[in-house]
Amino acid sequence: MHKRLWVILAVIASAVVLAVVLGTLFSIGGIDVNTTNDITLSAEQKSEIIELSQIKKGKNIFSVDEGIAIANIELNQPALKVISIERKFPNKVVIYVTDRTPLFSCKMSDGRYAILDRECKVISIENTEFSSLTKLSGLDDESLQLGQVLDYKNGVLEKMIKGAERCSFINQRFSTFFTKVEVKDDVIDLTTNTGVIMELPISSNIDESVIGCYNFYLSKTSEVGRNSGIIRLKQKGWLWEPLD
């Protein structure tokens, strides 16, 4: 009986020692912030990001909730995008961040301008318009808030952007080629820097429509010119028509 008790006590003691050792070994001892090559953060900015993440030294590395940490940072720093949060065993955490690139300028009901990135997130609110950005208009509700992600009709704008990116129009190239995006009841009009309007039906496959319309634009520009007209989707495919 005594022998069995000693065995049980030995097992419990071993478990306690193991828990203490593991707790000490995987206790967070260092937290760092790394960035992409296009931005540089000061020590003060890095400290602020770490504080916002609510990841604390001394906590177990396995207790880190990446989703909560990312949400905390991006809620308070909307112009930053957290690429990932990496555990470097046994006891270090690295937060990888980058700048969000402005893509759209949307005039709000109060006269100010919401600046949105490719994920349709409001990354800043300005008093003056940025002429270098694509003008976004026609939204039902233009009282946007800082940090808000615009979810228009189940992400149709994001899908449109992804279609344009598949045509190599990424960030600044998008804003250079598409000067205006106007949302209407059933279509989205993309106005190019050549004056041509691409009319895209609002649908779940609008990304494919962008690709098809742009390919049609490329194949017909030598025939009809580059500075007028509207491209619409008809029953037999894309058609270039004069503006009304």
Side-chain angles (χ1 to χ4, degrees):
M1 184 65 182
H2 290 292
K3 184 177 181 181
R4 183 178 179 185
L5 180 60
W6 279 110
V7 170
I8 293 173
L9 291 174
V11 170
I12 293 174
S14 298
V16 170
V17 170
L18 181 61
V20 171
V21 170
L22 291 177
T24 303
L25 180 64
F26 294 111
S27 177
I28 299 174
I31 309 169
D32 197 8
V33 178
N34 281 355
T35 65
T36 52
N37 293 333
D38 52 340
I39 65 169
T40 302
L41 297 176
S42 65
E44 183 179 352
Q45 289 173 311
K46 289 184 177 183
S47 295
E48 183 178 0
I49 291 170
I50 293 171
E51 184 176 352
L52 289 172
S53 74
Q54 295 186 8
I55 300 173
K56 306 292 185 181
K57 289 184 178 180
K59 295 290 185 178
N60 191 287
I61 197 170
F62 294 104
S63 69
V64 174
D65 189 318
E66 291 92 341
I68 292 177
I70 290 172
N72 288 338
I73 296 168
E74 294 192 347
L75 178 65
N76 292 278
Q77 296 279 357
L80 282 181
K81 178 177 176 61
V82 181
I83 302 170
S84 65
I85 295 179
E86 181 182 352
R87 296 182 180 91
K88 290 196 172 183
F89 293 103
N91 61 355
K92 187 175 181 181
V93 175
V94 182
I95 304 170
Y96 294 90
V97 302
T98 188
D99 266 341
R100 291 180 179 271
T101 301
L103 192 67
F104 295 112
S105 174
C106 178
K107 189 173 183 179
M108 300 192 299
S109 55
D110 64 2
R112 295 183 299 165
Y113 295 87
I115 308 302
L116 293 82
D117 74 341
R118 61 178 294 274
E119 295 179 353
C120 294
K121 181 175 183 177
V122 181
I123 61 175
S124 69
I125 294 178
E126 307 294 338
N127 292 321
T128 57
E129 185 175 19
F130 286 16
S131 58
S132 60
L133 302 180
T134 302
K135 295 180 182 179
L136 176 62
S137 65
L139 299 175
D140 295 332
D141 182 8
E142 295 181 350
S143 57
L144 300 172
Q145 302 294 320
L146 187 64
Q148 177 183 346
V149 177
L150 179 62
D151 186 21
Y152 181 79
K153 292 190 176 181
N154 297 318
V156 69
L157 284 174
E158 285 189 74
K159 291 178 182 177
M160 180 205 71
I161 294 167
K162 289 178 181 178
E165 289 178 342
R166 287 169 62 185
C167 299
S168 297
F169 293 113
I170 301 174
N171 290 334
Q172 292 179 346
R173 287 201 66 201
F174 182 99
S175 293
T176 299
F177 187 68
F178 297 109
T179 60
K180 183 179 179 181
V181 172
E182 184 176 4
V183 178
K184 297 182 178 179
D185 289 338
D186 300 315
V187 299
I188 294 179
D189 285 350
L190 303 184
T191 302
T192 71
N193 60 9
T194 61
V196 176
I197 297 175
M198 298 180 180
E199 185 183 87
L200 306 175
I202 294 177
S203 68
S204 60
N205 63 343
I206 193 171
D207 52 337
E208 298 295 336
S209 294
V210 175
I211 297 168
C213 189
Y214 178 63
N215 287 336
F216 179 84
Y217 168 87
L218 288 178
S219 67
K220 296 295 181 180
T221 47
S222 60
E223 298 178 18
V224 297
R226 288 175 173 265
N227 57 1
S228 64
I230 183 168
I231 303 175
R232 289 191 170 103
L233 184 61
K234 300 293 185 179
Q235 289 184 344
K236 294 184 179 181
W238 296 101
L239 182 66
W240 200 313
E241 299 178 343
L243 289 172
D244 298 333

